[in-house]
Amino acid sequence: RGSAFVGYLAGLYPHRAVWRTRLIEAACRDGALHLPILGQSRSFGGSEEAIRGQYRPQVLDFPVQTTAANILQCGASETQQAFIKARMISRVVINTHDAFTVDSPAREFLAARTLAETHIADNWYLRELVAHEQGRSFPLTFERAHAVYRGCQESDFKETR
């Protein structure tokens, strides 16, 4: 059943299958993958057989996970700079490879959320990535999580200027 599903996906997204094949071939040929823009790379030791077998998931995950982390890291950095420029008290307080947390007073909650969402969806890394890929668009989705502030609900927060 698994191989039938993979074949089904390959029929739906033929460019994805070509891209995945090219990743494996590059890792076998060069022993590494190199990403554009920031020049990040990952080495894969061992034989071609090991790269096609044991290391295959890592070869296929590296560009996806690294690009997602770069988008988020750049978004978090630009969000922090926007807070400073707007003279807000809000701060990016936790920043990991796949999430960041904003500490914000209730009066800045909506503005802070808007700035964070704006900079995740549009930051310098994404613009460079689109330019590098010659105008291709990239579907970008993210999950928004809210911490409850002393029992208040989101509807309790009002935008202040």
Side-chain angles (χ1 to χ4, degrees):
R1 286 173 30 150
S3 61
F5 184 68
V6 169
Y8 171 75
L9 286 177
L12 284 178
Y13 306 104
H15 296 290
R16 180 176 177 269
V18 169
W19 177 71
R20 290 167 58 99
T21 299
R22 287 182 182 162
L23 286 175
I24 296 294
E25 295 303 321
C28 289
R29 181 186 64 244
D30 303 332
L33 292 177
H34 306 279
L35 298 182
I37 303 171
L38 296 179
Q40 294 157 304
S41 63
R42 167 93 191 260
S43 297
F44 298 97
S47 66
E48 182 176 329
E49 181 179 309
I51 291 171
R52 291 183 186 281
Q54 176 183 358
Y55 297 117
R56 179 182 175 87
Q58 295 169 23
V59 170
L60 299 176
D61 284 347
F62 169 68
V64 174
Q65 295 296 327
T66 304
T67 299
N70 290 342
I71 291 167
L72 188 94
Q73 295 298 310
C74 292
S77 177
E78 288 188 13
T79 297
Q80 182 62 50
Q81 293 304 312
F83 290 162
I84 292 167
K85 185 177 179 180
R87 303 188 112 144
M88 295 172 69
I89 297 170
S90 299
R91 294 292 182 255
V92 174
V93 294
I94 301 173
N95 190 1
T96 64
H97 67 281
D98 64 355
F100 69 89
T101 301
V102 172
D103 183 31
S104 178
R107 69 180 182 277
E108 291 182 5
F109 174 80
L110 293 175
R113 182 179 72 187
T114 299
L115 285 171
E117 289 178 358
T118 298
H119 290 289
I120 289 172
D122 182 22
N123 60 63
W124 76 265
Y125 185 83
L126 269 174
R127 289 187 295 273
E128 285 294 319
L129 189 60
V130 168
H132 182 269
E133 294 296 327
Q134 302 171 1
R136 286 188 54 210
S137 64
F138 296 88
L140 179 66
T141 61
F142 55 89
E143 294 178 17
R144 181 192 316 165
H146 299 286
V148 175
Y149 181 78
R150 295 186 188 180
C152 297
Q153 299 301 315
E154 183 178 343
S155 60
D156 297 328
F157 295 100
K158 304 289 187 251
E159 184 74 33
T160 60
R161 299 199 190 276

